[in-house]
Structures are given as C-alpha cells and as structure tokens.
Amino acid sequence: MVGKLIILTAPSGAGKTTLVKHLLQVIPRLSFSVSATNRKMRSGETDGKDYYFLSTETFQSYIREDKFVEWEEVYSKQYYGTLRSEVERLRTAGQHIIFDIDVKGALSLKQQFAQDALAVFVMPPSLDILIERLKQRATEDEESLRKRIEKASFEMSFQHEFDETLVNDQLELSLLRIEKIVNRFLGYSDGN
Ligand code: 5GP
C-alpha cells in the first residue's frame, strides 16, 4: 500500500507545531516530511531532522535538477522545498507523511496528489490573538513581526481552498479534532 499525505498549513503563531507533534505520536505509520531550506540553522535544530540545511547554491542546483516536488521562496531569499526523494522513499515504504509547509506549497501538493492528500488549514482564533502570540515569542524584531503579520493575513484568505479548516482556539479540543479528521481520512476506525 502506498502512503497518503497529510498537509498542515497555518500562519506563523497559529499553533501548528503542537498539532503535528501530537499526530506523530497517535497516528500509526505516520512520518514527518523533512524539508530542505537555505536558511540558517537555529539553536536546538538538527540537520536532517528539522530540515536538510543546504547552501543557496545547492538549493538552486536542486531546483534545476527537478529534485523538489514543490519549493517556495517563503521569505525574501529564504527558500524551502519538499524533496521528491523524501516523499517517494516514505510512500513506497507504506508510510503516511505529514507536512508542515506554507499555503502555496500545500496547495501545490494537493493539486499533484489529489485524493491521496488531505490539506488542513489551521486558523488562529483571531488575527488579534495571532499578533499577541507572535509578540510573546519575542524572537521577532519589529520588521520581521510586521512581515509575519502581513503574510498571515494573506494566507488566511486561502483557507477556503483547503479540504478542512481547524480553528485552534482550545488546544485540547483541537488535538482531538485533528486526530479525528486524520483518522477518518486514513480510514482508521476511530475517525468516527
Ligand atoms: P521556519 O523558518 O519558521 O522553520 O518556517 C518558515 C515557513 O516555511 C513555515 O511557514 C513553514 O510552514 C514553511 N515551510 C517549511 N518547509 C517548507 C517546504 O518544504 N515547502 C514550503 N512551501 N514551505 C515550507
């Protein structure tokens, strides 16, 4: 059996990472798709686990060699992409794959994999709450915060193109909801 694709997309600050981690724990035969990027490794990140960290030159040569199923310049001069080899290796091993990628990447994968892919848009409870969460992280300077807020409002306008929308208001409830949505899509029995 060939594995399926679960694509989670959310504006930065909507709480997507917690949902991904939860699904990896509770859903059988689910693996995380490690993307490639040319951005600098942050402290606490591991090459090959969080991302494949590539130089800009290598990333660009991979684009030319058609090694990506999809790739995007998510932020100015920061590239992110899903490696074809990663998807094929996991799917042919019968693993389902979970993706944490941006809106354009998500819609591109959905278009390519059609009914084999489930695209879920994770909404913050409101734009105000999202801004608060981003501010609390304090990892962002004013300029980067502004860019993330702008990008978030833009991304939220695409929610209707996704198979499912999940409003992440109460974490415990969201975890249950996403689990149910994914189980149902994969045909596991507790999706009812
Ligand atoms: P970060 O730099 O904070 O890890 O990720 C920045 C953004 O890049 C996030 O919105 C994340 O979803 C997106 N992203 C990560 N990997 C990929 C990928 O392979 N393709 C696309 N299109 N976006 C990605």
Side-chain angles (χ1 to χ4, degrees):
M1 195 216 70
V2 177
K4 295 192 175 182
L5 286 71
I6 311 293
I7 310 156
L8 250 64
T9 292
S12 169
K16 171 186 49 173
T17 315
T18 316
L19 298 175
V20 171
K21 284 194 182 140
H22 175 74
L23 288 174
L24 284 167
Q25 277 171 2
V26 299
I27 306 287
R29 293 194 291 116
L30 185 65
S31 298
F32 182 68
S33 164
V34 179
S35 295
T37 184
N38 71 334
R39 83 142 160 76
K40 289 205 178 68
M41 202 189 300
R42 293 178 190 147
S43 72
E45 288 184 328
T46 311
D47 188 24
K49 185 168 163 267
D50 298 286
Y51 285 105
Y52 296 110
F53 292 95
L54 308 179
S55 67
T56 304
E57 295 68 41
T58 307
F59 199 101
Q60 284 169 343
S61 71
Y62 280 16
I63 296 174
R64 286 193 298 274
E65 291 157 19
D66 196 28
K67 288 194 175 168
F68 293 114
V69 218
E70 63 77 35
W71 65 270
E72 294 293 336
E73 185 176 357
V74 176
Y75 299 107
S76 172
K77 301 213 174 71
Q78 282 185 18
Y79 300 96
Y80 296 83
T82 305
L83 290 163
R84 206 175 288 286
S85 55
E86 182 86 356
V87 176
E88 281 167 9
R89 177 178 64 81
L90 292 168
R91 288 190 87 204
T92 49
Q95 285 287 312
H96 303 302
I97 316 175
I98 186 155
F99 297 80
D100 172 351
I101 64 178
D102 85 331
V103 166
K104 283 196 209 156
L107 295 176
S108 163
L109 286 186
K110 176 67 196 175
Q111 201 173 29
Q112 296 179 60
F113 292 91
Q115 69 273 26
D116 281 344
L118 174 78
V120 183
F121 193 90
V122 182
M123 286 281 284
S126 73
L127 197 54
D128 285 347
I129 292 179
L130 180 91
I131 293 170
E132 269 317 301
R133 285 184 191 167
L134 285 175
K135 280 186 179 160
Q136 273 164 19
R137 272 192 195 172
T139 53
E140 315 294 335
D141 56 39
E142 279 294 312
E143 174 61 7
S144 145
L145 182 68
R146 195 183 54 76
K147 276 196 201 148
R148 284 186 184 247
I149 294 169
E150 247 173 51
K151 185 169 156 62
S153 336
F154 175 71
E155 291 195 328
M156 277 154 70
S157 69
F158 287 92
Q159 59 171 292
H160 303 291
E161 295 185 37
F162 283 70
D163 298 313
E164 302 273 355
T165 300
L166 183 84
V167 181
N168 195 8
D169 42 10
Q170 286 173 277
L171 184 61
E172 286 305 314
L173 271 181
S174 301
L175 294 177
L176 286 176
R177 282 200 215 117
I178 190 78
E179 201 177 320
K180 199 166 160 180
I181 290 170
V182 171
N183 272 323
R184 192 173 55 214
F185 175 71
L186 296 177
Y188 293 140
S189 60
D190 38 357
N192 296 308

